[in-house]
Amino acid sequence: MKNWVEEYRPKKFSEMIGQEEAVLKVKNFIENFPKKKKAMVFYGPPGTGKTTLAHVVAKEIKAEIFELNASDFRNKENIKTILKPAMEQRSLLNDSKLILIDEVDGISTYSDWGGLNELIKLIEETPYPIVITANDIWKKNLSDLRKKVDLVGFKEINYQIIKTVLVEILKKENKSIDGELLTTVAIKAKGDLRAAINDIQTLAEVENPSLFLIDERNKETDIFNALRLVFKGKANNSLTTIYDEVKMPIDEIMLWVEENIPEEYKGEELARAFERLSKADVFKGRIYKQQYWRFLVYQNLLLSYGISAAKRDIKTGFTKYNKPTRILKIWLHNQKIKHKKSIAIKYAKYSHISQRRAMQDFDILRPILKDPEISKELKLEKQEIEYLEK
């Protein structure tokens, strides 16, 4: 099953509907390069066409595009070894080259080792135009970068424009969806065209789309769309970035994937999917224990393309995905022992032992801690005393 977002991605400036002002600024930048600044930052909400316009620019100027994600280089040395050679080498296939750096917000988050400063230095030296994307370019630690680039803002796309695009796609796919439902999809997308296209592709596969609930763009809706594309669609390169726009930590995404794999996969498919999930968990452990952040790309790849490729055929029909029960279990467990922890902390401090030791010996200490004099000495609260009495 093809991915409609990729299939109908704009290929030229005239197809960038809803972002005409941004296109004008880009054309002006290209005409004046390198007389003024050498880099542009495309900033704005997810799904508004930032990365797409960068690819359109490359096609329009017949340039080879060299694409990087900011998470690929989190420090000065990584930028030198990855980005600098790309700027120095001539294109083999085209006369020109365009450097695309997605999600510069990632550099600002992990710039403890001079990564952002090195990027700014390379911008001043590059012979090729650079396009950088960001959801939020106004962060304080991006102020130096803003001075070195042309800022191109992307706005949320009007719902009427979104609906027009959806109608055209459905015509080309020989599909039909009720006009009122299409309006609902367009409005609920909140300017995110990519999300709206994902929604209608899902609706087009549902037997009765009018009964399918389209919620506003939020964390759960985003993760639901991502899971549908991974579990039901054909594995392709576009899936490797499927979780990038899901506003949810990667660890929580793993729990969603773990919870819902059995809803879609059975037998050998289920075994392959869980094997790849376990490998993603191995990389997660290495990231946390050894701070090998370069492994994040492998964790993401296994969770997206890897899980998707575990199935033999594409899947149709509607599947209800569930919230991870492990999150609830963890919360209930923490609630159950929170008073035990708080008492152990007070006792450990009073008796000059470790908190870990106090937790290990808690059942032995309980009769002592229940003594009113001891409770008063430790300044236990009413809820803590009631916990000891249980």
Side-chain angles (χ1 to χ4, degrees):
M1 182 178 67
K2 62 186 177 183
N3 184 325
W4 288 6
V5 171
E6 294 301 323
E7 180 74 14
Y8 298 104
R9 188 182 291 274
K11 304 294 191 298
K12 49 190 177 181
F13 286 139
S14 59
E15 296 175 355
M16 291 295 302
I17 301 173
Q19 300 295 357
E20 288 77 11
E21 186 176 341
V23 170
L24 285 175
K25 288 184 177 180
V26 169
K27 288 181 176 179
N28 182 64
F29 174 89
I30 293 170
E31 290 172 2
N32 291 285
F33 183 86
K35 296 177 183 177
K36 295 182 179 180
K37 295 178 179 178
K38 298 183 178 181
M40 295 179 285
V41 168
F42 294 173
Y43 69 93
T48 51
K50 300 187 293 294
T51 303
T52 295
L53 183 53
H55 283 269
V56 168
V57 172
K59 288 184 173 67
E60 291 279 2
I61 65 175
K62 295 181 174 56
E64 176 187 4
I65 189 166
F66 187 86
E67 186 170 357
L68 293 165
N69 190 287
S71 62
D72 294 334
F73 39 82
R74 301 176 183 275
N75 56 51
K76 182 177 180 179
E77 290 306 314
N78 282 356
I79 289 181
K80 279 186 175 181
T81 56
I82 298 174
L83 185 57
K84 190 174 182 179
M87 292 181 175
E88 294 175 344
Q89 296 169 1
R90 292 181 58 85
S91 171
L92 297 175
L93 304 176
N94 302 78
D95 294 332
S96 184
K97 181 188 291 188
L98 183 140
I99 310 294
L100 169 61
I101 302 173
D102 258 331
E103 300 176 343
V104 75
D105 317 55
I107 297 181
S108 67
T109 305
Y110 301 97
S111 58
D112 297 342
W113 303 281
L116 193 58
N117 290 335
E118 184 65 19
L119 173 61
I120 293 170
K121 179 182 177 183
L122 291 178
I123 287 174
E124 295 172 344
E125 299 174 355
T126 180
Y128 301 113
I130 299 175
V131 173
I132 301 168
T133 70
N135 291 330
D136 182 10
I137 192 59
W138 304 110
K139 292 181 178 179
K140 184 178 179 181
N141 41 4
L142 293 176
S143 59
D144 290 338
L145 177 64
R146 292 196 295 270
K147 298 172 185 176
K148 298 294 182 180
V149 301
D150 277 347
L151 296 177
V152 181
F154 283 65
K155 59 186 178 181
E156 292 184 352
I157 302 174
N158 182 278
Y159 82 92
Q160 292 174 322
I161 295 176
I162 290 178
K163 184 178 178 180
T164 300
V165 173
L166 300 183
V167 169
E168 289 300 314
I169 291 175
L170 288 169
K171 284 181 181 177
K172 292 175 181 177
E173 292 292 326
N174 198 26
K175 302 283 186 179
S176 177
I177 294 178
D178 178 74
E180 289 187 10
L181 185 56
L182 275 183
T183 301
T184 300
V185 171
I187 293 173
K188 298 282 187 179
K190 291 187 174 181
D192 188 335
L193 179 58
R194 176 174 54 228
I197 295 173
N198 283 333
D199 281 342
I200 65 161
Q201 183 168 12
T202 301
L203 289 173
E205 298 171 1
V206 177
E207 186 174 347
N208 190 348
S210 63
L211 298 179
F212 189 81
L213 178 63
I214 297 295
D215 198 358
E216 291 186 5
R217 299 262 63 83
N218 56 37
K219 292 181 180 180
E220 292 182 6
T221 305
D222 286 340
I223 190 63
F224 291 149
N225 283 328
L227 291 177
R228 287 188 192 104
L229 291 172
V230 169
F231 290 150
K232 292 184 177 295
K234 183 178 180 181
N236 54 56
N237 290 338
S238 66
L239 287 181
T240 59
T241 58
I242 192 68
Y243 299 126
D244 289 355
E245 302 300 343
V246 178
K247 298 177 181 177
M248 183 181 291
I250 190 69
D251 292 351
E252 193 170 339
I253 289 173
M254 284 189 70
L255 293 176
W256 278 86
V257 173
E258 177 189 37
E259 182 75 21
N260 291 288
I261 285 176
E263 300 296 325
E264 294 284 10
Y265 296 170
K266 305 297 179 186
E268 293 182 1
E269 291 183 347
L270 183 65
R272 283 195 296 269
F274 271 117
E275 179 190 17
R276 289 163 196 187
L277 180 66
S278 68
K279 289 180 179 178
D281 195 52
V282 170
F283 281 113
K284 169 188 168 183
R286 291 173 180 172
I287 291 169
Y288 286 143
K289 291 179 182 178
Q290 303 172 18
Q291 294 295 293
Y292 287 171
W293 288 100
R294 64 181 182 276
F295 287 156
L296 188 61
V297 65
Y298 301 119
Q299 181 186 2
N300 216 325
L301 183 65
L302 286 162
L303 283 177
S304 55
Y305 187 97
I307 297 292
S308 184
K311 62 181 178 293
R312 290 181 176 177
D313 302 300
I314 62 173
K315 300 181 182 295
T316 59
F318 174 71
T319 303
K320 180 182 177 182
Y321 299 128
N322 304 307
K323 293 181 180 180
T325 55
R326 199 171 358 152
I327 294 177
L328 178 60
K329 290 177 181 177
I330 292 171
W331 182 84
L332 290 173
H333 176 72
N334 289 339
Q335 289 296 108
K336 184 177 180 180
I337 67 170
K338 71 175 184 178
H339 295 311
K340 178 180 178 180
K341 284 184 176 180
S342 62
I343 296 169
I345 290 171
K346 291 177 181 179
Y347 178 79
K349 184 177 180 180
Y350 182 81
S351 56
H352 304 289
I353 64 172
S354 69
Q355 294 176 18
R356 182 178 180 181
R357 176 67 182 276
M359 286 290 287
Q360 289 176 339
D361 296 344
F362 195 86
D363 290 338
I364 299 172
L365 295 171
R366 183 186 287 265
I368 301 171
L369 296 171
K370 289 169 65 175
D371 185 285
E373 292 298 321
I374 301 296
S375 298
K376 184 178 179 181
E377 189 72 20
L378 294 177
K379 299 180 180 179
L380 298 185
E381 297 178 358
K382 180 181 178 181
Q383 295 89 341
E384 292 171 329
I385 295 172
E386 290 176 350
Y387 174 81
L388 291 170
E389 296 295 334
K390 288 181 180 179

